[in-house]
Amino acid sequence: MTNSNPVKIVMVEDDHGHAKLIEKNIRRANISNEIKHFDAGQPALDYLFSAEVLANGPLLILLDLNLPDMSGIDILAEVKRDDRLKRAPVVVLTTTDDKTEIQRCYDLGCNVYITKPVDYESFAAAIRQLGLFLSVMQAPEIE
Amino acid sequence: MSVPGKPSLSLRSVSQVLRTPGLARSITVLLSGALLLLLVVNASTFLMIQRTATLNEQVDSSWLVRRAGRTLLISLQQAESAQRGFLLTGQASFLVDYQTAERMAFTRLDELEDRIAGDTVGEAAIEGLEASIRAKFTEMNATLDASRAGRVGQAITRVRSGRGKALMDDIRRDIDAIDELQGQRVTNYTNASAQSASTTLAVNAIAGLLILLLAGVVAMLVRRYFHDMTEARAVIDRTNAGLEQRVRDRTAALTRANEEVQRFAYIVSHDLRSPLVNVMGFTSELEAAGQTIDRQISRLETVAPDLIETDAVTAVREELPEAIGFIRASTAKMDGLINAILKLSREGRRNLVPETLGMTTLVQGIADSVRHQVDATEGQIVVEPLPDFESDRLSIEQILGNLIDNAVKYLDPSRPGQIVISGEALAGGWVRFSVADNGRGIALRDHERIFELFRRAGRQDTPGEGLGLAFVRNSVRRLGGSIEIESELGKGSTFHLKFPTRLILEKTGDTL
């Protein structure tokens, strides 16, 4: 990742515990990018569609599907429908491993779908691997 | 039902029909009435024909009597004419005519007597007539004798005396009386015949009318019956349609309820998982923090042991790991339970695909996969020939696999295991399979419990989640079947499965 264009991570996760654990494990993978956390869908959407996002270059979205005010799938659909945001990589990180849900997410343009393992070791490992993945991944510019 | 009992039964049923007030009885009675009337008409016609024949005979005989009387009179008149002719001319030919007429007259008199025989009134009349006739001939013979003897004047005088004429008048009057009597009788007979004819006609007409009336009533009843039947059918159809609609509604409601239950189970299990991630995650974090403190204490122990309080050491090295251990074990257990619910919920949502299953081969396959375990106990597993049927392959494999696994798992180690899988086709479109073992058995009070989720019975010396039989019963019910257990503690268990020969997939929801 280039320092001139740091990728901002937008995390939409209603469970603060999860958010904390995800952040911890991402940091453990030596990812120091800014992580912007939202615990509900609407504020996240407001932020994503604000002028600030345009000015701040590439971003990556970490998305939970079970949100209190809306389904993460709605956010995914909104993002992928938007001409500017649709190139932003979306990683769905959720507890649901229902086949139809997974299919729907990929159909809507989700880039990676990860099921949160209950077992913490696996969970931590998964998140660290995601961090490693993020460190080599190229995110497109938001224009 | 015995053979000799049959006719009486049918008779009884007929009389039963007749005894029950109703349409059938009315129609039967009406038709019987019509038949009876026809019989009356027939009988009266027959009687009339008989009677007419008798009357005709009587009329005939009356006419014959009349004719005999007339011809007798003619013969007498011929005789009288011949007598007068002889008296006038004395020619012998008149005498011959006279004698012929006399013979003829007596022949005719005999004939008349024959005809009238049996008729008391007539016989009485005939007696007088015969006497008059004989007197007349005596008188005529006397005149003829006198004439032949040459005493013509005496003969003429005898005729002039008017005795012969008087006798002839008597005879004519008698014959007229007979004639009149017979004529009267003919009239009577004719009248009687006409009356019987008109009576018969009337009877016929009335009976005909009555039959028509009965037929009309029957037709009306039948029409009403058909109308009622059509009405009843319409009502039944409407009711059926209503029932079908209600069944559809209920089924739809059930489907919705089932879907909701499944969705509920699914959501709940996921929502339960979410906090569990935290519990586990932060427990690990806590452990890591504890280890950090532990390292710090270890360092302090070497640098400044007097600063360390024993409580802190116990807390960090014993209480903390113990607490974390309990939390871990509980969360692991809870995770297992949630996974079990998820599995059941998922199985309930799976689409069933009915196909014909070669059951002997299918079960043999399952038996082969556990054979080495059974062989290890020097036991055996026997698959008897099983009936094929149509159902969902995966479900049936899972059900029998679970039951056979259980049978193997809970064999009694003190004796060689014996597991028998048998089956048969039942009447009414069902098949039955049985999995019997001589294992440890299940106490009666646990027969229902073992099918409940997360419940187990007996000594808890084998690993398990208490999920298998709950899953089996759920699957069996989904396939429209039933499962029953027959078991005695310490002797063995037999699970009986019953399925419809063909799995009919309704659009109903699936049970959880």
Side-chain angles (χ1 to χ4, degrees), chain B residues 497-511:
Chain B
L497 295 165
K498 195 173 150 192
F499 295 107
T501 315
R502 294 190 61 187
L503 171 62
I504 306 295
L505 289 178
E506 302 278 347
K507 274 183 239 154
T508 57
D510 304 306
T511 51

Side-chain angles (χ1 to χ4, degrees), chain A residues 15 18 28 97-98 118 120, chain B residues 266 274 278 280-281 285 346:
Chain A
D15 189 310
H18 285 203
R28 280 183 188 138
D97 57 357
D98 186 57
V118 179
Y120 185 63
Chain B
Y266 198 74
S274 208
N278 282 337
M280 284 181 150
E285 296 298 330
R346 236 174 243 160

Side-chain angles (χ1 to χ4, degrees), chain B residues 421-476:
Chain B
I421 299 104
S422 58
E424 59 178 334
L426 301 177
W430 294 88
V431 282
R432 191 174 63 84
F433 300 102
S434 300
V435 180
D437 65 61
N438 64 341
R440 57 159 81 158
I442 299 154
L444 186 62
R445 64 185 150 79
D446 289 329
H447 282 189
E448 179 55 33
R449 227 174 86 88
I450 52 165
F451 290 110
E452 286 170 14
L453 199 54
F454 308 134
R455 299 280 174 273
R456 304 176 74 205
R459 270 172 291 128
Q460 304 292 309
D461 53 359
T462 40
E465 295 165 310
L467 189 60
L469 285 176
F471 174 76
V472 162
R473 183 160 74 172
N474 187 36
S475 297
V476 167

Side-chain angles (χ1 to χ4, degrees), chain A residues 2-132:
Chain A
T2 53
N3 287 331
S4 61
N5 249 340
V7 176
K8 187 184 280 178
I9 298 173
V10 177
M11 179 164 66
V12 188
E13 168 66 72
D14 66 319
D15 189 310
H16 289 270
H18 285 203
K20 187 78 191 167
L21 290 171
I22 290 166
E23 195 177 346
K24 256 181 194 269
N25 283 286
I26 285 176
R27 297 291 177 227
R28 280 183 188 138
N30 290 321
I31 300 291
S32 55
N33 301 46
E34 184 193 348
I35 297 177
K36 190 112 180 129
H37 174 225
F38 296 93
D39 61 0
Q42 199 51 54
L45 275 179
D46 291 347
Y47 172 76
L48 284 171
F49 287 90
S50 67
E52 189 197 341
V53 176
L54 278 176
N56 282 285
L59 52 81
L60 181 139
I61 304 165
L62 272 181
L63 192 59
D64 185 15
L65 292 187
N66 306 316
L67 298 172
D69 57 346
M70 63 175 78
S71 166
I73 287 175
D74 297 335
I75 298 176
L76 178 64
E78 289 278 320
V79 167
K80 290 300 175 185
R81 215 176 13 239
D82 187 83
D83 282 341
R84 291 173 305 152
L85 283 175
K86 68 180 175 192
R87 294 200 189 89
V90 177
V91 176
V92 174
L93 188 57
T94 187
T95 42
T96 315
D97 57 357
D98 186 57
K99 265 187 207 152
T100 54
E101 292 278 86
I102 297 171
Q103 278 169 5
R104 261 182 86 194
C105 285
Y106 279 113
D107 286 348
L108 285 171
C110 134
N111 302 79
V112 183
Y113 189 107
I114 299 169
T115 304
K116 290 177 194 164
V118 179
D119 173 41
Y120 185 63
E121 296 309 317
S122 323
F123 180 85
I127 301 298
R128 276 199 293 274
Q129 275 159 19
L130 175 66
L132 293 174

